[in-house]
Amino acid sequence: MVAPDSAPSDSLPSAFRASDEARGVDELAELLSDLPPVPDDNAGPAGNWRVRVTAWLREIRLRRPRFRAAMRPSRLPRLVLPRGPRTVFTIGRSSDCDLPLGDLTVSWHHAELRRSGETWVLVDLGSTNGTRVNGWRADSGFTVRAGDWVSFGRAVFRIADHG
């Protein structure tokens, strides 16, 4: 699912769609490895631009340990996908929610986690501070899976399987 104010993912070049899935410098380098080689210096303004960008990327890569440390996600608390026959779980600040959160930026009934077959969908219930999945708003629903990070207001979690 794509945010309502952005271009649909199928309108983006495949390299851009794939780069959204990269979880590190090495994966991104692998995804971009099939790009055409850098043209020679006589290629004009477009070629010079590519040369400068390529040099900049190489410079970053030489400093990879620092860059990697900056990219490393902090340890987030886990939100384990529930087991059992129930298909809807509520998340919010209210004590009657299935997952009560004490953060003041979380609404009383903030979101729902709904099972649809083998997949889980996170739906915002009109909260004040929003629900996000990997940075994208999850207003009308967003499919989540293990490894995704979700936020309810300022409360942030990493989705994990129950197994």
Side-chain angles (χ1 to χ4, degrees):
M1 176 165 267
V2 177
D5 58 342
S6 67
S9 63
D10 59 349
S11 70
L12 297 172
S14 61
F16 285 112
R17 289 193 306 272
S19 68
D20 284 346
E21 298 172 9
R23 297 194 187 248
V25 175
D26 293 332
E27 276 188 51
L28 184 59
E30 183 180 329
L31 287 169
L32 300 176
S33 65
D34 62 342
L35 291 175
V38 177
D40 60 22
D41 290 335
N42 299 326
N48 291 336
W49 179 84
R50 287 184 182 154
V51 169
R52 287 193 308 268
V53 168
T54 303
W56 178 75
L57 289 172
R58 282 191 182 131
E59 183 179 332
I60 288 174
R61 192 145 171 88
L62 290 175
R63 294 188 228 152
R64 183 173 27 169
R66 278 185 18 207
F67 183 67
R68 233 191 209 155
M71 294 271 304
R72 187 176 302 132
S74 61
R75 297 244 182 230
L76 297 175
R78 295 178 351 145
L79 175 61
V80 180
L81 295 171
R83 294 184 192 195
R86 290 187 51 201
T87 58
V88 177
F89 295 85
T90 57
I91 301 165
R93 216 167 63 216
S94 174
S95 61
D96 66 338
C97 288
D98 298 307
L99 176 62
L101 301 174
D103 191 303
L104 293 176
T105 63
V106 176
S107 297
W108 289 104
H109 291 95
H110 196 100
E112 284 183 346
L113 189 58
R114 302 175 184 164
R115 183 185 359 235
S116 175
E118 293 295 315
T119 62
W120 288 94
V121 177
L122 185 64
V123 180
D124 185 84
L125 298 176
S127 65
T128 303
N129 293 311
T131 302
R132 295 185 174 269
V133 178
N134 298 326
W136 295 94
R137 288 191 65 91
D139 295 330
S140 61
F142 208 107
T143 301
V144 294
R145 62 182 179 199
D148 288 342
W149 64 269
V150 296
S151 63
F152 312 99
R154 289 191 194 141
V156 183
F157 299 89
R158 172 87 48 199
I159 298 286
D161 275 329
H162 53 74

